[in-house]
Every structure is written in structure tokens, then in C-alpha cells.
Amino acid sequence: MAETVTLHTSNTTMVLNVEKGKQPKYVYYGAKLSDYDQQHLQTPRNGRMDAYPAYGMNCPAEAAFAMKHADGNMSTELYVTDLDRQGDITRITLKDPQYPISVTLFYKVYQEEDMIETWTEIHNGEAKPVTLTQFASCSLPIRRGNVWLSHFYGSWANEARLVEEPILPGEKVIKNKDGTRNSHTDHAEVMFSLNGKGQENTGDVIGAALCYSGNFQLKIDTDDTEYHYFFASINPDNSEYHLKKGETFTTPKVALSYSQAGLSGVSRNFHQWGRKYMLAHGNKERKILLNSWEGVYFDINQQGMDQMMGDIASMGGELFVMDDGWFGDKYPRKVDNSSLGDWVVDKNKLPDGIEGLLRDAKKHGIKFGIWIEPEMANTVSELYEAHPDWIIKAPKREPVLGRGGTQVVLDMSNPKVQDFVFSIVDNLMTKYPEIDYIKWDANMPILNHGSQYLTMNDQSHLYIEYHRGLENTCKRIRAKYPDLTIQACASGGGRANWGVLPYFDEFWVSDNTDALQRIYMQWGTSYFFPAIAMASHISATPNHTVFRTTAMKYRIDVAMSGRLGMEIQPKNMTDDEKALCRNAIKEYKGIRPIVQFGDLFRLVSPYDKVGLASLMYVNKQKTKSVFFWWKTESFQNEHLPRVKMAGLDANKYYKVHELNRIDLRPMDIEGKSFSGAYLMNHGLEIPYRNEPEYAKKNDWSSRVLLLEAE
Ligand code: GLA
């Protein structure tokens, strides 16, 4: 058997050479090949094209896979024994000629979305346990040239910052070791721009996302050959895995997409694939909500919740979410130093219980949601008193404590803990089936290594088993409550990853709700995640994190580019602010399908520091679009670029209507029509300042334009 395996999507092709007794090799990944071109491919030169290089027979080269066999041998050889193609899935089975170890490489093709998912199954047929020390999901050689990397870094309140850099010789490692959450700092997604610094709407780009919620490692190694070697993996550090006889280890998937339409082109592929196959309820419009956190923090009480529900209902909102602070009996949750684990209502704060809250939500005609942090406990809690053995801590040592000086992480590798976590949601939903939404938080990393459940021999399984336990629990919840909306929150944007999103409807982008900084964070987030999944809330000023005061219109215009919500105490808002929000919610309902299901075209990046940022969403039929334009700084007599639009139909005529207008006079373009060609080749002049009445002028300017084809 010597076969050329060709994987086609609508616009891309991947070719692998699969020959029995040899290592499978990449031959091509790029724009779609014609039949003729497929027959006449040149074999790549001066690179190691192995699809899954194993360690031991060419030690200096980076490997995707390394293990210690039962007899102590550290080397592995993996040669093709079988090829199986069924429907969208291709399986290539590799075996070691000396040891009964097999590795199956999977490739799954998503035609329309130009996506190829790849992952690996490692099977131990040896008589005794073997130890896996490296177990990448995939490896991909990328031809050198002027290849640039786009990736994301950050921290709490500053998530998903975009960084763009050329790939130079040496090794670049992007990783996470948080243990519970994995997207505050580095992100498990990267793009490679193959022809110089990435452009939004032109150029060849490969995007890769490791669909995993735990510790990860993305490595790009550039040596003396003609290729960069990309590896995406569960982070193997302190995670060697003992695979018993007869067991199979399945790696997480990597989703790969190639586009000739630049960075935004790859983003659109990920958004489509994500909405259709990954994200929970990716085809269902999201409700407009008010979350209580920045409005009242821990100061929860029945009257206060009723008032907030009334206020959001009066502004047109559809859902109210009660955040932290509602629970604890023996230890009521007053601040962040107690009660996690005790998921019973604090009757002093809420004498009518959750029943009372649901009653009030019904009275106001909105839905009700609730905050929980199920994977955690405080040492000050009834749960900890009953089950000190359920927490993660190093053997023979005191637990290292987190938030509030008392927080601990529950050991999700323990099936009893999984049952408990499941029961938190199950109890709430059994008693109160009208609960519509759960905000699932996770506010602590694994600080100390140790499971009280795993054997001493298998302590190195902790990180992996934690995430298996989390996933199993999520699967159980979804099997029983398929319609529930669940937000993934983790001290803000700690869980923006494609590992958890099959079980969650959205994620909280950041605890930082400052509109200006959100432009940067949401920009980075949008590379791999669709707007429908990005919770984006209007909050008070001075902002509670950065203390900046921006205009209400600006805050609205930024929040409306994602899944719109509010994070504010409405009773402190002026009538004028309430009127602006009421109008914005009405306008958002009109554009919600375009923002939440449309194609994203990023136009001007805030990271390019030209004084503004701009992007647009276009519906599938190219008949409706929403254009966002935000100034990122303000100077007198400044010069801002005119923004060329993208993604429209050149031959259609689009009528312009400004949303969220505060100016006394409409813009000169209001109600006028322009051809798609003109809008994309030239663009519109947007006045640099909003011009409301004098007393309302400020230095924050933004515009939202609705374009409708005639
Ligand atoms: C985390 C979340 C916030 C809020 C608090 C509650 O920080 O990111 O949105 O829910 O916890 O304690």
C-alpha cells in the first residue's frame, strides 16, 4: 500500500503520503488543488515532513511523541500498518515493529468551513504499563519564508492581547500551567501568516486551535531545515501518563484551517465551525441580560434583586443573573473568604429563597439566572468540614490557599467530587426548573500538586484527570439539561477555549469592562471565537477596574459588537443614560442576528495605533451589515484613516442608517445609498467627533452603522 491521502475542503487541500511500513508524511497543505495539480505535486525538500514524529531514532529533532516502554526502552518507531477512510474521517494506524504500541492519527474534514480536525489515539498492547512523556495532538511542518505568528497573551483583566511577531530560528513556546483555567495568559490558539505580517483580508494564513481546557503547550521549532515545526499538545510538564495494558489515551483535537482571505478569513472559518459544531446552542440568539456583580457585588438581597430585575425589564432586557453572594447557611458568603461548596440560599439575605427570585422575574416578564463556582470550596465551609479529602493538595503538606485566603480547588479526578459538582446543578435545576442561565465560575488555579484520590504512583495524572473529570461532569449536565444556558467564567476570561465550549453557550471575556480596553481584548478574542460567545457588558464609570470615564454611547457601541449585556447598578444611572440603554437594547434586537450569526470582517486594528478601530459583520446573504467604528484616542486636528469596508456584495446598493445616534444632526450619509464596490474600494468619511448638545460633548467618539441592501 502506498497511497496519497488527499483531504479536500471547499477551498483547501491537505495531502499526506501514507505508505505501509513507512512514516506518514505531509506533502501539501494549502489552497485547493485541481486534479491535475494533485497528480503533479513536487515532494517537499529539506524538511522533516513526518506527520507524527516519535522520539528515539533521530534524537536531536523535536518529536510529537515520546514514551518509555514497559522494559525501559525510550525509543519508538511508528510505521503505517493501516489506512481507513470512512466519510469525513481518515484514520492512519501506525505501529512499532518491536513493541505492541499503536498510534492512530485521525483527520476529520469539515467541507464548508475549511476546517480539518486532527487528533491521536495511543494504545498500549504491551503486557505492562508504559509511560507517555510526550503526546502531541498534532505536528505540522510550515514552510519557512516570511512567516509571522499571531498569538495572545494577557493576565486577569487584560485577556487576549494580540501579539504579532516573525518566527525566527530557535524555539517559541506558548503554554499554560494554571491547572484549572487556560486563557488568562497565553491562549491555545495561533495563526501563521505565510506571506509576511498578517493582513486582515488578504494573504495566506493557517489557524490552529487546540480544543482543550487544561494545561497546554504550543511549540514552534525552527532549526537548520526549510521548515518551522508546529506541535500542539496537552502540556506534558509534570504530567507523564502511565498507560495500562489494553488502555487507550486520546489526545484533544486540534482544529486547523487555511485561508487565502487573511486573518479575518481564518477567523470566519473558526466562527462558522464553532457555531455549527462546537459551541452549545451556536444557532440560537442570546438573551440581553443584566448581571448583578458590578452593580452590588456581594450585597445581595431580595429587594435589591427585585429592583434590578424591574430596571433591566424596563430597559428591554430579557434576563437577570444573580452573581456571587447568595449562598451559605452556617457560613454565609459575605465576602470572598468563605462558603464555596455550600450551595444553599442564605436565608438572611433572601428570605423568600430562589422561589422569591423566580416569582419576581416572572412578575417583570424576564428570565432568571444564577452564579455558582462548583469546582471550588473554601476551608471555611461546611463542605470542607465534611470532605477535607476532596481538595487538591500536595501529599504530607498543608494546602496552598487561594482567593480570600481560604479558597481551595476540588479534585475533579475523584468520581465522588464529579458527582458532587453534577449535583450542584442538578439540585438547582430539579428544584427550580425555571432557572434559565447559569454563570459557572472558576477563580483559582491549581497551586499545589497533589490528588488525595489518585495513587501515589499516578500523581502525575492530576492535570489530565482534572479536565477529564470536568468534561465528564459537563457531559452529564448537558445530557440532562440540554436547553440550559451556561456561561463559562473564570476570573473573567480564563475559559475562552474550544475545549469547554461544547458545553457552554458563551464566556465572560474579562472582569475588565472598560470599553477602551475591551476593544483590544475583544479584538484578540475574535480571532478564534464568534461574537455570539463573547459576553460584553455595559458598565458604570469611572470603570471599576481602570477608573476611566468613557461616554455611555461609547460603552454601548463597544458592548453591542459582542453578546450585549449590562453589568451595572441601574438605580445609579441617570434618566438620560437609561434612555440611551433602552434605545440601544431595542436597536440591538434588530441587529442581533447579524452580530451573532454574521461573518466578521476586521478592518482597522486597535493594535496598529492609528487612532481608531473598526470591524463589521455581514449576514450570509450580504444584504445586511453592521459597521462599528470606535476612536481609540482623541486629539484636536487629528488625521484618521478612511476605513475601507469588506465582505459586501460589490453589485448591491446599501442604504446607511446610524444606530445609537446622539448627534443633534444626522450624518451627511444618513439614508443615502452606496454601492458595495464603493464602500469596499473607498469607504465612507465618518465625522471624527460625535456632536451632541454642548453640555454632553466629551472626548469619546464612536459610530455604529446599519447597512441594508435595497
Ligand atoms: C469572578 C468573575 C466575576 C464575578 C466574581 C464573583 O471574578 O469573573 O464576574 O462573578 O468572580 O466573585
Side-chain angles (χ1 to χ4, degrees), residues 1-7 13-19 25 27-28 33 38-39 41 83 85:
M1 175 189 76
E3 247 195 78
T4 302
V5 171
T6 309
L7 309 171
T13 302
M14 181 183 273
V15 181
L16 288 135
N17 199 313
V18 179
E19 199 175 331
K25 290 187 190 297
V27 182
Y28 179 88
L33 294 175
Q38 277 175 60
Q39 311 294 321
L41 282 176
L83 170 68
R85 305 198 68 178

Side-chain angles (χ1 to χ4, degrees), residues 156 184 291 293-294 297-298 323-325 333 336 371 373 403 439 441-443 487 489-493 508 510-511 567:
W156 174 78
H184 273 129
N291 184 61
W293 181 241
E294 285 193 27
Y297 293 102
F298 293 99
D323 208 286
D324 198 351
R333 176 96 161 162
D336 63 3
W371 180 95
E373 195 180 350
R403 191 180 182 199
K439 175 172 174 179
D441 214 333
N443 288 319
Q487 180 188 73
C489 176
S491 313
W508 185 221
S510 176
D511 276 349
E567 185 88 20

Side-chain angles (χ1 to χ4, degrees), residues 299-592:
D299 193 10
I300 302 272
N301 60 63
Q302 183 68 47
Q303 293 72 19
M305 298 296 97
D306 184 29
Q307 163 252 312
M308 288 180 110
M309 288 193 242
D311 282 331
I312 186 63
S314 77
M315 285 186 273
E318 300 153 329
L319 167 68
F320 173 74
V321 182
M322 176 174 68
D323 208 286
D324 198 351
W326 60 269
F327 52 94
D329 178 22
K330 180 172 170 192
Y331 303 107
R333 176 96 161 162
K334 298 214 159 59
V335 287
D336 63 3
N337 63 6
S338 74
S339 328
L340 294 173
D342 300 349
W343 302 105
V344 290
V345 167
D346 176 352
K347 282 281 183 187
N348 288 319
K349 287 182 177 175
L350 298 168
D352 298 349
I354 292 174
E355 295 87 335
L357 298 163
L358 289 166
R359 174 198 66 212
D360 291 342
K362 205 168 194 176
K363 174 178 82 189
H364 297 299
I366 57 170
K367 299 281 184 192
F368 177 77
I370 194 164
W371 180 95
I372 51 176
E373 195 180 350
E375 298 149 76
M376 306 285 163
N378 291 103
T379 50
V380 183
S381 70
E382 295 185 68
L383 180 78
Y384 182 69
E385 286 170 355
H387 301 288
D389 54 321
W390 281 7
I391 68 159
I392 286 179
K393 69 170 212 69
K396 300 185 183 168
R397 303 181 199 283
E398 288 302 308
V400 179
L401 303 171
R403 191 180 182 199
T406 59
Q407 188 159 338
V408 286
V409 183
L410 296 178
D411 183 356
M412 292 298 289
S413 74
N414 184 341
K416 287 201 180 120
V417 172
Q418 295 170 27
D419 288 346
F420 169 72
V421 170
F422 172 76
S423 78
I424 299 168
V425 175
D426 195 35
N427 290 342
L428 280 171
M429 295 310 296
T430 311
K431 278 203 207 143
Y432 316 109
E434 301 101 75
I435 291 179
D436 188 69
Y437 178 107
I438 281 181
K439 175 172 174 179
W440 177 307
D441 214 333
N443 288 319
M444 190 182 159
I446 292 179
L447 288 171
N448 41 176
H449 192 132
S451 165
Q452 303 183 75
Y453 170 75
L454 297 169
T455 63
M456 285 308 277
N457 188 49
D458 285 346
Q459 289 291 306
S460 60
H461 293 192
L462 173 63
Y463 294 120
I464 291 170
E465 294 301 345
Y466 185 97
H467 287 275
R468 284 186 180 160
L470 175 63
E471 184 164 18
N472 286 341
T473 311
C474 289
K475 278 187 180 152
R476 278 171 75 186
I477 291 170
R478 277 306 180 195
K480 191 154 176 198
Y481 303 105
D483 299 331
L484 184 64
T485 304
I486 314 181
Q487 180 188 73
C489 176
S491 313
R495 277 200 175 147
N497 66 62
W498 283 116
V500 296
L501 287 175
Y503 314 104
F504 292 81
D505 298 71
E506 61 178 29
F507 54 84
W508 185 221
V509 174
S510 176
D511 276 349
N512 183 348
T513 54
D514 169 59
L516 179 62
Q517 201 166 343
R518 273 288 182 130
I519 292 175
Y520 290 81
M521 294 187 282
Q522 293 179 184
W523 193 270
T525 305
S526 80
Y527 268 56
F528 284 89
F529 302 99
I532 192 171
M534 302 192 335
S536 179
H537 296 179
I538 299 165
S539 65
T541 52
N543 177 268
H544 293 192
T545 305
V546 303
F547 302 97
R548 198 189 329 269
T549 297
T550 51
M552 179 52 92
K553 172 173 166 60
Y554 193 80
R555 283 174 270 154
I556 288 172
D557 285 0
V558 172
M560 273 174 65
S561 67
R563 194 282 280 135
L564 176 68
M566 299 187 78
E567 185 88 20
I568 196 166
Q569 171 52 281
K571 87 173 174 207
N572 298 339
M573 292 166 71
T574 63
D575 289 345
D576 194 36
E577 287 176 329
K578 278 191 180 153
L580 285 174
C581 288
R582 188 172 300 119
N583 181 58
I585 288 174
K586 190 179 100 231
E587 308 265 43
Y588 188 76
K589 287 177 182 166
I591 61 168
R592 177 158 47 186

Side-chain angles (χ1 to χ4, degrees), residues 46-47 49 121 124 160 187 220 225 301 319 328 366 388 451 458 544:
N46 297 329
M49 306 310 286
E121 277 181 13
N124 179 18
H187 258 251
I220 301 131
T225 62
N301 60 63
L319 167 68
I366 57 170
S451 165
D458 285 346
H544 293 192

